[in-house]
Amino acid sequence: MVANEVLSPGDHVVLVDDKGHRRLVKLRSGGQLHSHAGVIAHDQIIGNTEGFVLLSSSGRRFMVFRPTLSDIVLRMPRGAQIIYPKDLAQILLVCDIFPGAKVVESGVGSGALSMAMLRAGATVTGYEVREDFANIARRNVEEFLGTNVPYEVKLRDIRDGIDESNMDRMVLDLPEPWSVVELAEAALHPGGILLCYLPTINQTAQLRGRLKTSKFVLTETTELLLRSWHIDERSVRPDHRMVAHTGFITHARLIG
């Protein structure tokens, strides 16, 4: 994608109505979006550049943009529950995903975390026990990032063995990541980072107990609570709804 590039069939766009509702659309010649706010012909969008405003058949205003990664992961087809954008951002930062990083991921789900790491420039090898999840992840990565990204998903339990060695990072979205700690010690190089994403504090406590007896050090666990604000002239207050608990993020580094 080139900045200010003309929108073409096959491109994805986000349509934002005057109430802030967003719709993710893949453009096709002759296509139409039907909604309670009227009909929008895809041909009204094709040939334009993002950032313009159009009117639906009922006269409702829609803004047209290329989707951000956050737009994509929240609205793409899914099988498993996705990792929310607030956690994806934290994972990329504390796991220090860099261009060229060699990453093993297990529990690929719908591919949200895979896409975030690939967009950051990593090479990702996934392990997934469910074929339907693996297929959804592959399709989402291909649909939104294309086929020329360094991504592979192996259909098997990571606890049966890891083919890769001298890896930079390992990211686990599994119910029992403590059972993979020994394998992670063998697969990562010294200084490599292990990151685990878990929904409950009981699981997290069990993981932390296992890490205490491992070669991993500098262990930290975080949780992110995201609250937006309502700001309208003199009415300034926190929004009544917020994205509170979604998961616990634990990361540690391997020593030799």
Side-chain angles (χ1 to χ4, degrees):
M1 183 181 69
V2 179
N4 211 35
E5 189 177 55
V6 169
L7 296 165
S8 305
D11 289 345
H12 290 86
V13 295
V14 169
L15 302 177
V16 187
D17 66 21
D18 48 15
K19 294 186 177 180
H21 298 144
R22 299 179 178 221
R23 296 165 179 82
L24 181 63
V25 177
K26 184 176 183 180
L27 298 176
R28 59 184 178 86
S29 297
Q32 292 183 327
L33 170 68
H34 293 260
S35 75
H36 69 281
V39 179
I40 294 176
H42 292 195
D43 290 336
Q44 292 177 259
I45 303 171
I46 293 170
N48 290 289
T49 56
E50 66 172 323
F52 75 99
V53 177
L54 57 78
L55 299 179
S56 71
S57 60
S58 64
R60 292 280 293 275
R61 296 174 72 255
F62 282 82
M63 297 178 287
V64 182
F65 298 100
R66 291 188 184 273
T68 64
L69 182 61
S70 178
D71 290 321
I72 291 170
V73 300
L74 290 174
R75 294 166 181 83
M76 69 185 186
R78 65 177 72 172
Q81 174 64 41
I82 62 165
I83 297 178
Y84 276 81
K86 69 180 181 71
D87 293 331
L88 292 176
Q90 178 73 348
I91 289 170
L92 291 181
L93 184 65
V94 300
C95 208
D96 190 33
I97 302 298
F98 58 89
K102 298 178 295 180
V103 182
V104 170
E105 179 188 7
S106 186
V108 299
S110 300
L113 180 54
S114 298
M115 286 196 290
M117 294 190 293
L118 289 165
R119 279 278 298 269
T123 296
V124 180
T125 302
Y127 287 77
E128 175 57 61
V129 296
R130 290 189 51 167
E131 186 173 7
D132 54 340
F133 288 176
N135 289 336
I136 290 171
R138 291 188 190 105
R139 284 197 300 269
N140 282 333
V141 167
E142 182 174 336
E143 177 73 9
F144 295 104
L145 299 184
T147 58
N148 295 321
V149 290
Y151 186 57
E152 178 186 7
V153 180
K154 300 180 179 182
L155 191 61
R156 75 168 194 256
D157 192 328
I158 194 171
R159 292 174 296 185
D160 293 335
I162 300 174
D163 299 329
E164 293 71 30
S165 61
N166 200 37
M167 301 299 286
D168 299 304
R169 309 288 184 257
M170 183 176 294
V171 181
L172 305 176
D173 183 5
L174 303 171
E176 299 178 350
W178 48 86
S179 63
V180 187
V181 169
E182 187 174 351
L183 292 172
E185 290 174 336
L188 291 167
H189 61 67
I193 297 175
L194 170 67
L195 184 140
C196 303
Y197 185 78
L198 287 164
T200 74
I201 195 61
N202 292 334
Q203 290 168 295
T204 303
Q206 188 163 349
L207 169 65
R208 291 294 299 263
R210 175 64 183 89
L211 289 173
K212 283 184 179 179
T213 64
S214 73
K215 297 178 181 178
F216 287 98
V217 297
L218 305 179
T219 307
E220 293 183 7
T221 296
T222 57
E223 174 193 22
L224 296 181
L225 308 179
L226 180 66
R227 184 174 72 177
S228 59
W229 278 69
H230 171 86
I231 300 177
D232 185 10
E233 296 181 352
R234 295 185 179 181
S235 176
V236 180
R237 55 168 174 76
D239 281 330
H240 296 307
R241 300 181 65 185
M242 66 179 290
V243 182
H245 173 74
T246 47
F248 296 100
I249 299 169
T250 300
H251 66 283
R253 302 203 75 165
L254 183 67
I255 55 174

